[in-house]
Amino acid sequence: MHRFEDARLLTGGGRYVEDVRPADALVMRVLRSPSAHGRISALAVEDARALPGVVAVLTAAELTDLGVGPMTALSPAANSDGSPMAEPRRPVLAEGEVKYVGQPVAAVFARTEAEAEDALEAILLDIDEMDSVTDPERAFDGTVQLWPQVPGNVAIDWDKGNRTETEAGFAKAAHVVELTVRHPRVAIQPIETRGCIGIHDADTGHYTLTTPSQGVMSLKGAMATYLGVASEKMRVVTEDVGGSFAVKIWPYPEQILVLVGSRVTGRPVAWQSSRTESFICDAMGRGRVDRAALALDPEGRFLAFKIDALADIGAYWNAVSPSIVTGGAVRTFGHCYRIPGMHYRVRGVFTNAMTTDAYRGAGKPESGGTLERLIDVAAERLGIDRMDLRRRNLITPDLLPYTTAMNETIDGGDFPNIFARIHEISEAEGIGRRKADSARVGRLRGFAIGTHMHATGGSVAERSEVRALPDGSVLVRTGTQDSGQGHRTALAMVAAETLEIPVERIRVEQGDSDFLTKGGGTGGSNLMPIAANTVHRTARHMLDKAKQVAGHLLEAAPADIEYGLGDFRIVGTDRRISLGDVAAGWDTIPPEQYDGDLGAGCVAQLDFEGLHTTFPNGSYAVEVEVDPDTGQVRIDRFSGVDDLGRVINEQTALGQLHGGIGQAIGEALMEAMVHDPESGQVLSGSLMDYALPRADDVPMLNLHWAPTDSPNSLIGAKGVGEVSSIGAPGVIVNAVLDALHPLGVEHLDIPLTPEKVWRAIHSARA
């Protein structure tokens, strides 16, 4: 079915944060550090405060006086020895020193954008430059020190896996393949930039933050903590969101500043990031260097796999970045392969750059891509067919449920079947002929097949409400938040199926912390495994409660009442009452007749229960053609088979896969944040310098389903949002390097830009 949201959004009916800006709102602009590292020797704002239209200017000193606290990580982690990770103080506005280009230093509040920009120009900011480092490998050598209390810039040293078994696997291996794989930082660029509106009610002391997000409850708690107020005095509202991919989940300094600015000025305050500003003030994705190794026995069976990683943290920890570089990286470590020994060690290092955090896949694209690259290199070095090497190491159905060395229990799947299907769908047997056809016209053709897996996650602090209304409609409230994925349609379909009523009668509300007092938000592809399952349970619970009311209205025992197709009926009779009439009838029951069974009427609230993890998985095949004269890579074919469990809405699921593949193409072939190694300046800080995939970079996609059940999902769905962004980058890279293999090129780090590919070709030929 078509999504409910589309007609409104496509005809200009969306309500984004800029659409709801109050008419009397002041404009906030932020003065940002032009230096990557340095001491603030002068900061004078008096001239700016005196300009026409300027209502206030805030610096760190004023925030201290107002009791605004520092920002802290929301999911801190410990080192392997149990000691706490290093977490330097992260001020909302810079205190004494700046640590990265773009760090907020002061905030201006003015009547108009022009007046706010003039005020920024009037602020005197002098910075005594210090040495900076933006490369995690250089940061790790400790030559440039960001924080005196963090030796070698190592923020955390963490590991997981069966180290003893892994070491034994390498010790007895017939073959060991080692490779360093770099996954650079990428900019997360949804079509709508970040923005926020802050309102403070001086009479009640209440704050309201309107901002695009992926869940209002976590922001509510964070804002209350940073402002030093009770959570009851904080409300967060999210209306429509123009894309996120995780970048809008987190609390940011600008959100705190609009709230404080409203408190200081007595006026609503609005801020909207420019596109260029987003390249220096938004959390970044990826940023990892994997020193990896794979151990194999004489028959090519995998014995052990390990990664010793450096993770680029940025200058400060972000909200959940500690969990992304640690646990997030290992949940699907080894993915669809049977590998007895696995070990992952990561040292997170501080660099003079904006923070990193989760981005579609959250640590899994790096781990999966590194393993898929190692397998191809191992096949080439050992003289084994790449597909056969994968096939002989897949986890087979008889081993399921399968507990990995990372203590994740894969609940279901049929990986050999999917691998056989992708081999057929992609016409793998004909690749030799197609390579010859390309060679005749001077092109290099490459082909690769890889496997992938996601472990759905996100917060389990989810609550759903289902309420039958007198007009026959049903209201569903959820703590999750869509940013374009069509959550309202998906949850309405689940509720309608459970209640056996037309989906058009379901209305889904989200995005207001006053609706529900609990909600985990969206993340980790958790809509179907967590929110939809909770809606399903809550709808059934509501029917149980409504049956009590129906029995009262029909003057029958609840045990004699049955429900179906939107009506309650007395068993064996034609007496019935609709769900809507039951909801209306609840209001006619005198309060003195209420009893414990009637409860609150036709409404139920339930929290998520059960195991939240499902394991969607699949296999992709990619075929590319490379122009050796320009280095340009063209993806000619992209085929896929995915096991998402039960697909509730095929159109939405395909859209999610398409988007993830598009982002994977960007990550593999185009995207990387580039900093000047000496000054720390951002060199790829606009869409003139940072390449994003366009429509003609994405081929026609040949995608198929191979569903299996998950015992962890009541409704059978496994989740989809991050599956293709996890699985596609590695196989794209392998296809390009297969094209270059005849020239002797074994490995290149992403992105595989035309220049990088051209240089590799000409260097090999020389």
Side-chain angles (χ1 to χ4, degrees), residues 336-420:
C336 302
Y337 303 108
R338 183 182 183 183
I339 310 178
M342 295 196 295
H343 186 258
Y344 172 80
R345 180 188 185 186
V346 62
R347 279 163 286 193
V349 292
F350 289 123
T351 60
N352 291 114
M354 179 59 185
T355 59
T356 58
D357 212 312
Y359 168 52
R360 204 169 189 173
K364 302 169 194 69
E366 298 96 299
S367 298
T370 292
L371 177 55
E372 290 294 326
R373 186 75 209 110
L374 266 177
I375 294 172
D376 261 26
V377 172
E380 196 280 324
R381 292 184 185 177
L382 274 59
I384 302 175
D385 178 77
R386 295 176 296 157
M387 308 312 146
D388 185 53
L389 183 58
R390 287 174 168 82
R391 189 179 297 110
R392 69 180 67 174
N393 284 286
L394 290 171
I395 299 168
T396 52
D398 60 293
L399 297 175
L400 297 172
Y402 178 82
T403 301
T404 74
M406 297 301 178
N407 202 33
E408 293 282 351
T409 300
I410 300 171
D411 58 352
D414 190 342
F415 314 130
N417 172 59
I418 287 178
F419 199 75

Side-chain angles (χ1 to χ4, degrees), residues 108-172:
V108 169
F109 306 87
R111 294 176 304 184
T112 68
E113 293 186 15
E115 289 169 333
E117 294 289 348
D118 288 343
L120 287 184
E121 294 292 330
I123 295 175
L124 172 64
L125 173 63
D126 281 341
I127 296 174
D128 294 335
E129 299 275 351
M130 301 166 64
D131 290 340
S132 65
V133 58
T134 54
D135 183 301
E137 292 175 276
R138 285 188 55 222
F140 183 61
D141 71 25
T143 303
V144 176
Q145 190 74 28
L146 266 75
W147 303 100
Q149 70 273 34
V150 186
N153 299 310
V154 176
I156 192 169
D157 187 342
W158 184 93
D159 77 316
K160 188 171 183 178
N162 52 2
R163 182 195 295 267
T164 301
E165 291 87 342
T166 302
E167 291 175 349
F170 277 96
K172 68 180 182 181

Side-chain angles (χ1 to χ4, degrees), residues 34 64 67 97 103 150 185 237-238 307 337 344 427 430 466 500 533 607 627 706 713:
T64 299
E97 289 188 0
Q103 183 171 359
V150 186
R185 282 173 170 251
V237 176
T238 293
I307 292 177
Y337 303 108
Y344 172 80
E427 299 179 301
V466 178
E500 300 180 35
N533 276 291
D607 293 346
D627 183 346
S713 176

Side-chain angles (χ1 to χ4, degrees), residues 36 102 187 200 229 299 332 371 400 420 426 508 567 574 594 700 762:
H200 176 255
V229 300
E299 288 72 44
T332 56
L371 177 55
L400 297 172
S426 65
V508 177
D567 290 334
D574 60 357
Y594 292 174
M700 294 300 294
H762 285 263

Side-chain angles (χ1 to χ4, degrees), residues 79-425:
N79 292 301
S80 294
D81 63 6
S83 61
M85 68 185 194
E87 186 175 11
R89 176 182 171 89
R90 183 186 180 186
V92 177
L93 294 173
E95 299 173 340
E97 289 188 0
V98 294
K99 296 294 184 179
Y100 64 93
V101 171
Q103 183 171 359
V105 176
V108 169
F109 306 87
R111 294 176 304 184
T112 68
E113 293 186 15
E115 289 169 333
E117 294 289 348
D118 288 343
L120 287 184
E121 294 292 330
I123 295 175
L124 172 64
L125 173 63
D126 281 341
I127 296 174
D128 294 335
E129 299 275 351
M130 301 166 64
D131 290 340
S132 65
V133 58
T134 54
D135 183 301
E137 292 175 276
R138 285 188 55 222
F140 183 61
D141 71 25
T143 303
V144 176
Q145 190 74 28
L146 266 75
W147 303 100
Q149 70 273 34
V150 186
N153 299 310
V154 176
I156 192 169
D157 187 342
W158 184 93
D159 77 316
K160 188 171 183 178
N162 52 2
R163 182 195 295 267
T164 301
E165 291 87 342
T166 302
E167 291 175 349
F170 277 96
K172 68 180 182 181
H175 310 282
V176 173
V177 178
E178 297 178 322
L179 193 68
T180 297
V181 182
R182 294 173 178 84
H183 303 272
R185 282 173 170 251
V186 294
I188 309 172
Q189 290 290 308
I191 194 168
E192 177 203 30
T193 58
R194 289 193 303 111
C196 47
I197 299 167
I199 298 176
H200 176 255
D201 186 325
D203 294 331
T204 63
H206 281 75
Y207 292 89
T208 299
L209 174 69
T210 301
T211 190
S213 75
Q214 287 184 213
V216 294
M217 294 308 300
S218 63
L219 281 179
K220 174 181 178 176
M223 291 296 114
T225 298
Y226 301 151
L227 293 171
V229 300
S231 61
E232 294 76 19
K233 291 187 177 292
M234 189 73 230
R235 179 190 183 197
V236 180
V237 176
T238 293
E239 297 204 35
D240 290 319
V241 182
S244 177
F245 317 115
V247 76
K248 295 173 184 171
I249 299 178
W250 327 121
Y252 283 93
E254 295 84 5
Q255 294 164 330
I256 302 168
L257 290 169
V258 295
L259 294 168
V260 175
S262 181
R263 174 182 167 187
V264 169
T265 64
R267 298 263 297 275
V269 173
W271 171 80
Q272 190 71 40
S273 171
S274 69
R275 179 65 61 184
T276 299
E277 197 174 17
S278 72
F279 280 92
I280 56 173
C281 73
D282 288 2
M284 299 287 166
R286 311 295 186 245
R288 211 174 86 189
V289 179
D290 288 350
R291 292 167 290 196
L294 182 66
L296 304 92
D297 71 9
E299 288 72 44
R301 303 284 181 183
F302 299 159
L303 299 174
F305 167 49
K306 64 181 179 181
I307 292 177
D308 186 356
L310 294 177
D312 182 354
I313 304 302
Y316 303 93
W317 286 109
N318 205 51
V320 303
S321 55
S323 66
I324 301 307
V325 302
T326 55
V330 300
R331 297 200 64 207
T332 56
F333 210 73
H335 48 284
C336 302
Y337 303 108
R338 183 182 183 183
I339 310 178
M342 295 196 295
H343 186 258
Y344 172 80
R345 180 188 185 186
V346 62
R347 279 163 286 193
V349 292
F350 289 123
T351 60
N352 291 114
M354 179 59 185
T355 59
T356 58
D357 212 312
Y359 168 52
R360 204 169 189 173
K364 302 169 194 69
E366 298 96 299
S367 298
T370 292
L371 177 55
E372 290 294 326
R373 186 75 209 110
L374 266 177
I375 294 172
D376 261 26
V377 172
E380 196 280 324
R381 292 184 185 177
L382 274 59
I384 302 175
D385 178 77
R386 295 176 296 157
M387 308 312 146
D388 185 53
L389 183 58
R390 287 174 168 82
R391 189 179 297 110
R392 69 180 67 174
N393 284 286
L394 290 171
I395 299 168
T396 52
D398 60 293
L399 297 175
L400 297 172
Y402 178 82
T403 301
T404 74
M406 297 301 178
N407 202 33
E408 293 282 351
T409 300
I410 300 171
D411 58 352
D414 190 342
F415 314 130
N417 172 59
I418 287 178
F419 199 75
R421 284 192 61 192
I422 193 64
H423 194 272
E424 177 184 358
I425 290 167

Side-chain angles (χ1 to χ4, degrees), residues 389-695:
L389 183 58
R390 287 174 168 82
R391 189 179 297 110
R392 69 180 67 174
N393 284 286
L394 290 171
I395 299 168
T396 52
D398 60 293
L399 297 175
L400 297 172
Y402 178 82
T403 301
T404 74
M406 297 301 178
N407 202 33
E408 293 282 351
T409 300
I410 300 171
D411 58 352
D414 190 342
F415 314 130
N417 172 59
I418 287 178
F419 199 75
R421 284 192 61 192
I422 193 64
H423 194 272
E424 177 184 358
I425 290 167
S426 65
E427 299 179 301
E429 296 299 333
I431 185 58
R433 173 182 51 79
R434 296 193 295 276
K435 283 187 175 185
D437 291 343
S438 293
R440 278 192 287 271
V441 294
R443 299 288 192 268
L444 304 170
R445 181 169 288 265
F447 177 78
I449 292 178
T451 72
H452 57 268
M453 179 183 291
H454 184 27
T456 58
S459 171
V460 297
E462 177 58 23
R463 175 170 294 167
S464 297
E465 177 181 298
V466 178
R467 181 186 298 268
L469 301 175
D471 63 0
S473 66
V474 173
L475 173 64
V476 174
R477 285 175 168 163
T478 176
T480 56
Q481 175 69 48
D482 84 77
S483 52
Q485 305 100 314
H487 286 191
R488 288 183 176 91
T489 300
L491 294 181
M493 292 176 69
V494 170
E497 179 182 74
T498 306
L499 299 174
E500 300 180 35
I501 62 176
V503 70
E504 292 78 13
R505 287 166 56 183
I506 308 292
R507 177 164 56 91
V508 177
E509 289 185 349
Q510 58 183 1
D512 191 329
S513 64
D514 280 358
F515 285 170
L516 297 171
T517 58
K518 183 179 181 181
T522 296
S525 306
N526 69 341
L527 179 76
M528 304 314 292
I530 293 180
N533 276 291
T534 306
V535 166
H536 169 75
R537 289 178 48 246
T538 308
R540 292 176 59 179
H541 188 48
M542 186 274 288
L543 288 178
D544 290 340
K545 298 174 73 173
K547 182 184 290 188
Q548 305 294 329
V549 181
H552 187 96
L553 296 173
L554 292 172
E555 299 180 332
D560 295 329
I561 302 293
E562 63 181 3
Y563 177 84
L565 300 176
D567 290 334
F568 293 95
R569 296 175 294 275
I570 299 177
V571 176
T573 75
D574 60 357
R575 293 185 61 200
R576 67 181 61 207
I577 185 171
S578 71
L579 179 59
D581 287 339
V582 172
W586 164 253
D587 293 331
T588 69
I589 301 175
E592 61 269 18
Q593 296 184 23
Y594 292 174
D595 58 35
D597 289 332
L598 292 184
C602 302
V603 60
Q605 278 191 6
L606 287 180
D607 293 346
F608 173 77
E609 292 180 357
L611 295 173
H612 73 293
T613 301
T614 63
F615 293 87
N617 62 87
S619 185
Y620 293 151
V622 173
E623 205 162 316
V624 303
E625 199 172 60
V626 178
D627 183 346
D629 293 331
T630 65
Q632 184 68 41
V633 176
R634 181 179 66 86
I635 300 178
D636 185 47
R637 296 183 176 200
F638 193 110
S639 304
V641 179
D642 280 301
D643 174 6
L644 309 178
R646 181 186 172 203
V647 176
I648 301 296
N649 186 305
E650 186 172 44
Q651 184 183 54
T652 298
L654 284 172
Q656 288 291 288
L657 293 177
H658 290 176
I661 291 166
Q663 287 177 303
I665 290 170
E667 186 173 335
L669 302 182
M670 308 170 193
E671 299 184 49
M673 284 300 296
V674 180
H675 295 80
D676 182 88
E678 300 302 322
S679 68
Q681 292 296 319
V682 176
L683 302 181
S684 55
S686 79
L687 293 181
M688 294 292 290
D689 306 296
Y690 187 93
L692 290 174
R694 312 279 177 112

